[in-house]
Amino acid sequence: MHNFRIATHNDIETIANLHALSWQNSYRGMLTDDYLDNHVLADRIQVWTQKINEPPAHQIILLKEIDNSVVGFVCAYGSSTDNFGTFIDNLHVLPSFKGKGIGRDLMKEVSNWSLQHFNQPKLYLKVLEDNHAARFFYEKVGGVKQADFSEIMPGGKSVNVCRYVWQKFKS
């Protein structure tokens, strides 16, 4: 059975583990090996504990489950005033489930939520420039690269980032 649900306090460890695994699989060579090998999980547990225990009113964290197991999640911040729309802060799918439409389904759920709660059709996100698989996916689902800039990532490394925007997400 496939379904979506809102994350709860009981999901912190599951989300942090999925996030850490995703970064270890996707960001090798972009973030430091020391961070990915020794610090990413503890860091992600801290991040998700705060996001779930102290959520801003405009945050949503949705989980995608298949047969009662979490296979992906998305965290977004709705906005009716941001020039780029609702911000997708995190979108991660278990490596073994990539290419099965889960990322697209999660983005569609965020798009529907954004329209319903903020009357906002636009979405945007940031992706590491060297994360070619993610960039290919975002372009495949209609994202347009709008800007390039650099950011300091967890672990202290400066990376090049691209902003992708959707005027309206169409799955």
Side-chain angles (χ1 to χ4, degrees), residues 6-47:
I6 301 288
T8 69
H9 178 78
N10 295 334
D11 297 309
I12 291 170
E13 195 171 316
T14 299
I15 292 169
N17 274 297
L18 195 159
H19 196 174
L21 178 66
S22 178
W23 277 16
Q24 288 166 332
N25 276 271
S26 299
Y27 289 179
R28 189 68 61 185
M30 295 173 232
L31 302 185
T32 67
D33 286 344
D34 178 60
Y35 174 75
L36 291 172
D37 293 337
N38 302 309
H39 305 288
V40 68
L41 181 57
D43 180 53
R44 297 297 90 192
I45 288 172
Q46 182 180 10
V47 164

mmCIF file of all heavy atoms in Angstrom, residues 6-47:
data_model
loop_
_atom_site.group_PDB
_atom_site.id
_atom_site.type_symbol
_atom_site.label_atom_id
_atom_site.label_comp_id
_atom_site.label_asym_id
_atom_site.label_seq_id
_atom_site.Cartn_x
_atom_site.Cartn_y
_atom_site.Cartn_z
ATOM 1 N N ILE A 6 1.830 12.960 7.448
ATOM 2 C CA ILE A 6 2.613 14.012 8.089
ATOM 3 C C ILE A 6 3.578 13.368 9.077
ATOM 4 O O ILE A 6 3.198 12.461 9.825
ATOM 5 C CB ILE A 6 1.673 15.004 8.820
ATOM 6 C CG1 ILE A 6 0.683 15.647 7.841
ATOM 7 C CG2 ILE A 6 2.461 16.043 9.595
ATOM 8 C CD1 ILE A 6 1.287 16.651 6.912
ATOM 9 N N ALA A 7 4.807 13.836 9.116
ATOM 10 C CA ALA A 7 5.802 13.316 10.050
ATOM 11 C C ALA A 7 5.446 13.691 11.480
ATOM 12 O O ALA A 7 4.876 14.765 11.737
ATOM 13 C CB ALA A 7 7.181 13.869 9.697
ATOM 14 N N THR A 8 5.778 12.798 12.401
ATOM 15 C CA THR A 8 5.582 13.040 13.830
ATOM 16 C C THR A 8 6.923 12.874 14.552
ATOM 17 O O THR A 8 7.926 12.460 13.960
ATOM 18 C CB THR A 8 4.583 12.040 14.443
ATOM 19 O OG1 THR A 8 5.195 10.739 14.461
ATOM 20 C CG2 THR A 8 3.278 11.999 13.646
ATOM 21 N N HIS A 9 6.907 13.142 15.851
ATOM 22 C CA HIS A 9 8.104 12.994 16.680
ATOM 23 C C HIS A 9 8.692 11.581 16.540
ATOM 24 O O HIS A 9 9.916 11.408 16.567
ATOM 25 C CB HIS A 9 7.757 13.302 18.143
ATOM 26 C CG HIS A 9 8.914 13.128 19.065
ATOM 27 N ND1 HIS A 9 9.923 14.073 19.163
ATOM 28 C CD2 HIS A 9 9.255 12.118 19.894
ATOM 29 C CE1 HIS A 9 10.821 13.641 20.016
ATOM 30 N NE2 HIS A 9 10.449 12.461 20.488
ATOM 31 N N ASN A 10 7.837 10.596 16.377
ATOM 32 C CA ASN A 10 8.302 9.209 16.252
ATOM 33 C C ASN A 10 9.088 8.948 14.970
ATOM 34 O O ASN A 10 9.706 7.891 14.835
ATOM 35 C CB ASN A 10 7.117 8.243 16.314
ATOM 36 C CG ASN A 10 6.433 8.269 17.654
ATOM 37 O OD1 ASN A 10 7.053 8.595 18.668
ATOM 38 N ND2 ASN A 10 5.154 7.947 17.671
ATOM 39 N N ASP A 11 9.059 9.886 14.032
ATOM 40 C CA ASP A 11 9.733 9.708 12.744
ATOM 41 C C ASP A 11 11.120 10.346 12.674
ATOM 42 O O ASP A 11 11.795 10.221 11.651
ATOM 43 C CB ASP A 11 8.871 10.295 11.621
ATOM 44 C CG ASP A 11 7.543 9.592 11.482
ATOM 45 O OD1 ASP A 11 7.553 8.346 11.392
ATOM 46 O OD2 ASP A 11 6.511 10.288 11.464
ATOM 47 N N ILE A 12 11.554 11.017 13.731
ATOM 48 C CA ILE A 12 12.829 11.753 13.680
ATOM 49 C C ILE A 12 13.977 10.844 13.247
ATOM 50 O O ILE A 12 14.720 11.172 12.321
ATOM 51 C CB ILE A 12 13.135 12.423 15.037
ATOM 52 C CG1 ILE A 12 12.132 13.562 15.276
ATOM 53 C CG2 ILE A 12 14.573 12.939 15.079
ATOM 54 C CD1 ILE A 12 12.179 14.152 16.681
ATOM 55 N N GLU A 13 14.120 9.707 13.889
ATOM 56 C CA GLU A 13 15.248 8.820 13.580
ATOM 57 C C GLU A 13 15.150 8.271 12.149
ATOM 58 O O GLU A 13 16.151 8.206 11.433
ATOM 59 C CB GLU A 13 15.300 7.670 14.584
ATOM 60 C CG GLU A 13 16.613 6.929 14.554
ATOM 61 C CD GLU A 13 16.745 5.936 15.701
ATOM 62 O OE1 GLU A 13 16.408 6.272 16.841
ATOM 63 O OE2 GLU A 13 17.183 4.810 15.402
ATOM 64 N N THR A 14 13.948 7.911 11.733
ATOM 65 C CA THR A 14 13.748 7.389 10.373
ATOM 66 C C THR A 14 14.127 8.436 9.334
ATOM 67 O O THR A 14 14.841 8.139 8.365
ATOM 68 C CB THR A 14 12.279 6.968 10.183
ATOM 69 O OG1 THR A 14 11.988 5.936 11.124
ATOM 70 C CG2 THR A 14 12.008 6.487 8.779
ATOM 71 N N ILE A 15 13.654 9.671 9.526
ATOM 72 C CA ILE A 15 13.954 10.755 8.583
ATOM 73 C C ILE A 15 15.451 11.050 8.581
ATOM 74 O O ILE A 15 16.068 11.188 7.518
ATOM 75 C CB ILE A 15 13.138 12.016 8.925
ATOM 76 C CG1 ILE A 15 11.652 11.764 8.674
ATOM 77 C CG2 ILE A 15 13.628 13.214 8.120
ATOM 78 C CD1 ILE A 15 10.747 12.846 9.231
ATOM 79 N N ALA A 16 16.047 11.154 9.764
ATOM 80 C CA ALA A 16 17.480 11.458 9.864
ATOM 81 C C ALA A 16 18.315 10.372 9.187
ATOM 82 O O ALA A 16 19.278 10.677 8.473
ATOM 83 C CB ALA A 16 17.887 11.618 11.319
ATOM 84 N N ASN A 17 17.952 9.110 9.385
ATOM 85 C CA ASN A 17 18.683 8.012 8.753
ATOM 86 C C ASN A 17 18.561 8.064 7.239
ATOM 87 O O ASN A 17 19.549 7.886 6.519
ATOM 88 C CB ASN A 17 18.189 6.660 9.287
ATOM 89 C CG ASN A 17 18.891 6.261 10.559
ATOM 90 O OD1 ASN A 17 20.094 6.067 10.576
ATOM 91 N ND2 ASN A 17 18.136 6.162 11.636
ATOM 92 N N LEU A 18 17.345 8.306 6.731
ATOM 93 C CA LEU A 18 17.138 8.391 5.284
ATOM 94 C C LEU A 18 17.915 9.581 4.708
ATOM 95 O O LEU A 18 18.564 9.461 3.670
ATOM 96 C CB LEU A 18 15.644 8.506 4.978
ATOM 97 C CG LEU A 18 15.213 8.242 3.540
ATOM 98 C CD1 LEU A 18 13.742 7.886 3.500
ATOM 99 C CD2 LEU A 18 15.484 9.386 2.606
ATOM 100 N N HIS A 19 17.867 10.715 5.406
ATOM 101 C CA HIS A 19 18.568 11.922 4.955
ATOM 102 C C HIS A 19 20.079 11.670 4.913
ATOM 103 O O HIS A 19 20.747 11.989 3.923
ATOM 104 C CB HIS A 19 18.231 13.074 5.899
ATOM 105 C CG HIS A 19 18.563 14.415 5.368
ATOM 106 N ND1 HIS A 19 18.218 15.564 6.022
ATOM 107 C CD2 HIS A 19 19.219 14.823 4.253
ATOM 108 C CE1 HIS A 19 18.646 16.613 5.336
ATOM 109 N NE2 HIS A 19 19.259 16.175 4.267
ATOM 110 N N ALA A 20 20.618 11.077 5.985
ATOM 111 C CA ALA A 20 22.057 10.790 6.036
ATOM 112 C C ALA A 20 22.463 9.820 4.919
ATOM 113 O O ALA A 20 23.462 10.048 4.223
ATOM 114 C CB ALA A 20 22.430 10.220 7.404
ATOM 115 N N LEU A 21 21.690 8.765 4.728
ATOM 116 C CA LEU A 21 21.984 7.794 3.668
ATOM 117 C C LEU A 21 21.947 8.466 2.299
ATOM 118 O O LEU A 21 22.809 8.237 1.444
ATOM 119 C CB LEU A 21 20.977 6.640 3.722
ATOM 120 C CG LEU A 21 21.128 5.561 2.652
ATOM 121 C CD1 LEU A 21 22.448 4.810 2.840
ATOM 122 C CD2 LEU A 21 19.953 4.592 2.715
ATOM 123 N N SER A 22 20.956 9.322 2.083
ATOM 124 C CA SER A 22 20.834 10.039 0.815
ATOM 125 C C SER A 22 22.067 10.904 0.571
ATOM 126 O O SER A 22 22.633 10.902 -0.531
ATOM 127 C CB SER A 22 19.561 10.886 0.835
ATOM 128 O OG SER A 22 19.437 11.627 -0.356
ATOM 129 N N TRP A 23 22.496 11.641 1.586
ATOM 130 C CA TRP A 23 23.676 12.488 1.426
ATOM 131 C C TRP A 23 24.925 11.642 1.204
ATOM 132 O O TRP A 23 25.769 11.994 0.390
ATOM 133 C CB TRP A 23 23.841 13.396 2.640
ATOM 134 C CG TRP A 23 23.000 14.641 2.569
ATOM 135 C CD1 TRP A 23 21.945 14.878 1.749
ATOM 136 C CD2 TRP A 23 23.170 15.811 3.354
ATOM 137 N NE1 TRP A 23 21.438 16.127 1.981
ATOM 138 C CE2 TRP A 23 22.167 16.723 2.971
ATOM 139 C CE3 TRP A 23 24.051 16.173 4.353
ATOM 140 C CZ2 TRP A 23 22.040 17.982 3.540
ATOM 141 C CZ3 TRP A 23 23.917 17.434 4.935
ATOM 142 C CH2 TRP A 23 22.928 18.327 4.522
ATOM 143 N N GLN A 24 25.057 10.525 1.932
ATOM 144 C CA GLN A 24 26.229 9.671 1.759
ATOM 145 C C GLN A 24 26.279 9.111 0.340
ATOM 146 O O GLN A 24 27.357 8.949 -0.226
ATOM 147 C CB GLN A 24 26.222 8.538 2.792
ATOM 148 C CG GLN A 24 26.538 9.032 4.191
ATOM 149 C CD GLN A 24 26.218 8.013 5.266
ATOM 150 O OE1 GLN A 24 25.331 7.166 5.108
ATOM 151 N NE2 GLN A 24 26.930 8.100 6.375
ATOM 152 N N ASN A 25 25.125 8.831 -0.248
ATOM 153 C CA ASN A 25 25.065 8.287 -1.609
ATOM 154 C C ASN A 25 25.207 9.359 -2.675
ATOM 155 O O ASN A 25 25.743 9.087 -3.748
ATOM 156 C CB ASN A 25 23.747 7.530 -1.815
ATOM 157 C CG ASN A 25 23.821 6.115 -1.309
ATOM 158 O OD1 ASN A 25 24.208 5.220 -2.045
ATOM 159 N ND2 ASN A 25 23.479 5.915 -0.054
ATOM 160 N N SER A 26 24.708 10.562 -2.411
ATOM 161 C CA SER A 26 24.653 11.590 -3.451
ATOM 162 C C SER A 26 25.743 12.649 -3.354
ATOM 163 O O SER A 26 26.078 13.261 -4.366
ATOM 164 C CB SER A 26 23.294 12.301 -3.408
ATOM 165 O OG SER A 26 22.256 11.391 -3.653
ATOM 166 N N TYR A 27 26.262 12.899 -2.165
ATOM 167 C CA TYR A 27 27.154 14.045 -1.958
ATOM 168 C C TYR A 27 28.619 13.663 -1.776
ATOM 169 O O TYR A 27 29.435 14.502 -1.419
ATOM 170 C CB TYR A 27 26.706 14.854 -0.740
ATOM 171 C CG TYR A 27 25.418 15.628 -0.935
ATOM 172 C CD1 TYR A 27 24.895 16.385 0.097
ATOM 173 C CD2 TYR A 27 24.713 15.616 -2.130
ATOM 174 C CE1 TYR A 27 23.726 17.101 -0.052
ATOM 175 C CE2 TYR A 27 23.541 16.327 -2.288
ATOM 176 C CZ TYR A 27 23.056 17.075 -1.251
ATOM 177 O OH TYR A 27 21.907 17.791 -1.395
ATOM 178 N N ARG A 28 28.984 12.403 -2.012
ATOM 179 C CA ARG A 28 30.378 11.978 -1.903
ATOM 180 C C ARG A 28 31.201 12.784 -2.902
ATOM 181 O O ARG A 28 30.845 12.880 -4.069
ATOM 182 C CB ARG A 28 30.492 10.484 -2.187
ATOM 183 C CG ARG A 28 31.830 9.889 -1.911
ATOM 184 C CD ARG A 28 32.228 9.832 -0.471
ATOM 185 N NE ARG A 28 31.332 9.025 0.355
ATOM 186 C CZ ARG A 28 31.455 8.934 1.678
ATOM 187 N NH1 ARG A 28 32.427 9.558 2.306
ATOM 188 N NH2 ARG A 28 30.608 8.202 2.366
ATOM 189 N N GLY A 29 32.263 13.414 -2.420
ATOM 190 C CA GLY A 29 33.090 14.261 -3.277
ATOM 191 C C GLY A 29 32.640 15.714 -3.275
ATOM 192 O O GLY A 29 33.383 16.589 -3.709
ATOM 193 N N MET A 30 31.415 15.970 -2.798
ATOM 194 C CA MET A 30 30.912 17.346 -2.716
ATOM 195 C C MET A 30 31.036 17.873 -1.289
ATOM 196 O O MET A 30 31.348 19.044 -1.078
ATOM 197 C CB MET A 30 29.450 17.407 -3.167
ATOM 198 C CG MET A 30 29.256 17.051 -4.629
ATOM 199 S SD MET A 30 27.500 16.940 -5.052
ATOM 200 C CE MET A 30 27.451 15.339 -5.821
ATOM 201 N N LEU A 31 30.747 17.008 -0.311
ATOM 202 C CA LEU A 31 30.968 17.323 1.100
ATOM 203 C C LEU A 31 32.181 16.517 1.551
ATOM 204 O O LEU A 31 32.587 15.568 0.878
ATOM 205 C CB LEU A 31 29.737 16.959 1.934
ATOM 206 C CG LEU A 31 28.420 17.626 1.540
ATOM 207 C CD1 LEU A 31 27.319 17.265 2.530
ATOM 208 C CD2 LEU A 31 28.567 19.144 1.463
ATOM 209 N N THR A 32 32.746 16.865 2.702
ATOM 210 C CA THR A 32 33.952 16.164 3.146
ATOM 211 C C THR A 32 33.626 14.725 3.533
ATOM 212 O O THR A 32 32.558 14.432 4.067
ATOM 213 C CB THR A 32 34.611 16.878 4.337
ATOM 214 O OG1 THR A 32 33.756 16.775 5.479
ATOM 215 C CG2 THR A 32 34.906 18.346 4.028
ATOM 216 N N ASP A 33 34.586 13.832 3.272
ATOM 217 C CA ASP A 33 34.421 12.431 3.662
ATOM 218 C C ASP A 33 34.272 12.316 5.174
ATOM 219 O O ASP A 33 33.480 11.502 5.661
ATOM 220 C CB ASP A 33 35.613 11.591 3.195
ATOM 221 C CG ASP A 33 35.585 11.332 1.690
ATOM 222 O OD1 ASP A 33 34.529 11.535 1.061
ATOM 223 O OD2 ASP A 33 36.630 10.916 1.159
ATOM 224 N N ASP A 34 35.022 13.125 5.926
ATOM 225 C CA ASP A 34 34.924 13.075 7.384
ATOM 226 C C ASP A 34 33.490 13.370 7.839
ATOM 227 O O ASP A 34 32.938 12.661 8.675
ATOM 228 C CB ASP A 34 35.897 14.072 8.034
ATOM 229 C CG ASP A 34 35.785 14.068 9.546
ATOM 230 O OD1 ASP A 34 36.005 13.009 10.161
ATOM 231 O OD2 ASP A 34 35.442 15.137 10.110
ATOM 232 N N TYR A 35 32.892 14.410 7.282
ATOM 233 C CA TYR A 35 31.509 14.751 7.650
ATOM 234 C C TYR A 35 30.566 13.610 7.267
ATOM 235 O O TYR A 35 29.756 13.168 8.086
ATOM 236 C CB TYR A 35 31.077 16.055 6.973
ATOM 237 C CG TYR A 35 29.620 16.366 7.218
ATOM 238 C CD1 TYR A 35 29.191 16.846 8.448
ATOM 239 C CD2 TYR A 35 28.659 16.141 6.240
ATOM 240 C CE1 TYR A 35 27.849 17.098 8.700
ATOM 241 C CE2 TYR A 35 27.323 16.394 6.467
ATOM 242 C CZ TYR A 35 26.924 16.872 7.704
ATOM 243 O OH TYR A 35 25.591 17.108 7.945
ATOM 244 N N LEU A 36 30.656 13.119 6.045
ATOM 245 C CA LEU A 36 29.740 12.069 5.580
ATOM 246 C C LEU A 36 29.936 10.755 6.334
ATOM 247 O O LEU A 36 28.966 10.040 6.600
ATOM 248 C CB LEU A 36 29.911 11.839 4.081
ATOM 249 C CG LEU A 36 29.435 12.983 3.181
ATOM 250 C CD1 LEU A 36 29.828 12.718 1.727
ATOM 251 C CD2 LEU A 36 27.937 13.204 3.304
ATOM 252 N N ASP A 37 31.167 10.440 6.704
ATOM 253 C CA ASP A 37 31.440 9.168 7.364
ATOM 254 C C ASP A 37 31.224 9.206 8.872
ATOM 255 O O ASP A 37 30.890 8.182 9.473
ATOM 256 C CB ASP A 37 32.886 8.729 7.087
ATOM 257 C CG ASP A 37 33.115 8.395 5.621
ATOM 258 O OD1 ASP A 37 32.142 8.075 4.910
ATOM 259 O OD2 ASP A 37 34.287 8.474 5.183
ATOM 260 N N ASN A 38 31.429 10.372 9.499
ATOM 261 C CA ASN A 38 31.469 10.408 10.957
ATOM 262 C C ASN A 38 30.476 11.340 11.631
ATOM 263 O O ASN A 38 30.262 11.218 12.835
ATOM 264 C CB ASN A 38 32.881 10.803 11.422
ATOM 265 C CG ASN A 38 33.929 9.849 10.890
ATOM 266 O OD1 ASN A 38 33.788 8.644 11.027
ATOM 267 N ND2 ASN A 38 34.959 10.392 10.254
ATOM 268 N N HIS A 39 29.879 12.280 10.886
ATOM 269 C CA HIS A 39 29.082 13.312 11.552
ATOM 270 C C HIS A 39 27.681 13.511 10.976
ATOM 271 O O HIS A 39 26.836 14.112 11.620
ATOM 272 C CB HIS A 39 29.824 14.655 11.507
ATOM 273 C CG HIS A 39 31.210 14.578 12.070
ATOM 274 N ND1 HIS A 39 31.458 14.442 13.410
ATOM 275 C CD2 HIS A 39 32.420 14.578 11.447
ATOM 276 C CE1 HIS A 39 32.769 14.374 13.614
ATOM 277 N NE2 HIS A 39 33.371 14.449 12.435
ATOM 278 N N VAL A 40 27.431 13.047 9.767
ATOM 279 C CA VAL A 40 26.178 13.381 9.091
ATOM 280 C C VAL A 40 24.955 12.880 9.856
ATOM 281 O O VAL A 40 23.971 13.609 9.985
ATOM 282 C CB VAL A 40 26.174 12.909 7.619
ATOM 283 C CG1 VAL A 40 26.148 11.398 7.501
ATOM 284 C CG2 VAL A 40 25.001 13.515 6.861
ATOM 285 N N LEU A 41 24.993 11.674 10.405
ATOM 286 C CA LEU A 41 23.802 11.158 11.077
ATOM 287 C C LEU A 41 23.480 11.947 12.340
ATOM 288 O O LEU A 41 22.326 12.357 12.541
ATOM 289 C CB LEU A 41 23.946 9.664 11.401
ATOM 290 C CG LEU A 41 22.717 9.045 12.081
ATOM 291 C CD1 LEU A 41 21.453 9.226 11.235
ATOM 292 C CD2 LEU A 41 22.962 7.580 12.374
ATOM 293 N N ALA A 42 24.472 12.204 13.176
ATOM 294 C CA ALA A 42 24.224 12.979 14.398
ATOM 295 C C ALA A 42 23.714 14.374 14.049
ATOM 296 O O ALA A 42 22.791 14.896 14.693
ATOM 297 C CB ALA A 42 25.495 13.066 15.235
ATOM 298 N N ASP A 43 24.294 14.980 13.019
ATOM 299 C CA ASP A 43 23.867 16.303 12.571
ATOM 300 C C ASP A 43 22.418 16.273 12.081
ATOM 301 O O ASP A 43 21.608 17.136 12.423
ATOM 302 C CB ASP A 43 24.807 16.785 11.464
ATOM 303 C CG ASP A 43 24.436 18.157 10.946
ATOM 304 O OD1 ASP A 43 24.300 19.093 11.759
ATOM 305 O OD2 ASP A 43 24.269 18.291 9.713
ATOM 306 N N ARG A 44 22.070 15.280 11.288
ATOM 307 C CA ARG A 44 20.705 15.200 10.764
ATOM 308 C C ARG A 44 19.698 14.892 11.885
ATOM 309 O O ARG A 44 18.570 15.392 11.841
ATOM 310 C CB ARG A 44 20.607 14.150 9.655
ATOM 311 C CG ARG A 44 21.456 14.443 8.407
ATOM 312 C CD ARG A 44 21.056 15.718 7.675
ATOM 313 N NE ARG A 44 21.772 16.884 8.171
ATOM 314 C CZ ARG A 44 21.468 18.146 7.890
ATOM 315 N NH1 ARG A 44 20.471 18.441 7.100
ATOM 316 N NH2 ARG A 44 22.162 19.145 8.387
ATOM 317 N N ILE A 45 20.080 14.098 12.877
ATOM 318 C CA ILE A 45 19.180 13.861 14.023
ATOM 319 C C ILE A 45 18.894 15.172 14.739
ATOM 320 O O ILE A 45 17.746 15.476 15.066
ATOM 321 C CB ILE A 45 19.763 12.794 14.980
ATOM 322 C CG1 ILE A 45 19.659 11.411 14.328
ATOM 323 C CG2 ILE A 45 19.039 12.825 16.332
ATOM 324 C CD1 ILE A 45 20.356 10.303 15.086
ATOM 325 N N GLN A 46 19.920 15.983 14.932
ATOM 326 C CA GLN A 46 19.732 17.282 15.582
ATOM 327 C C GLN A 46 18.808 18.179 14.747
ATOM 328 O O GLN A 46 17.875 18.801 15.266
ATOM 329 C CB GLN A 46 21.086 17.955 15.804
ATOM 330 C CG GLN A 46 21.001 19.280 16.514
ATOM 331 C CD GLN A 46 22.375 19.912 16.714
ATOM 332 O OE1 GLN A 46 23.385 19.452 16.173
ATOM 333 N NE2 GLN A 46 22.413 20.969 17.478
ATOM 334 N N VAL A 47 19.059 18.245 13.451
ATOM 335 C CA VAL A 47 18.248 19.077 12.550
ATOM 336 C C VAL A 47 16.785 18.643 12.574
ATOM 337 O O VAL A 47 15.873 19.463 12.731
ATOM 338 C CB VAL A 47 18.811 19.013 11.106
ATOM 339 C CG1 VAL A 47 17.803 19.514 10.083
ATOM 340 C CG2 VAL A 47 20.114 19.785 11.008
#
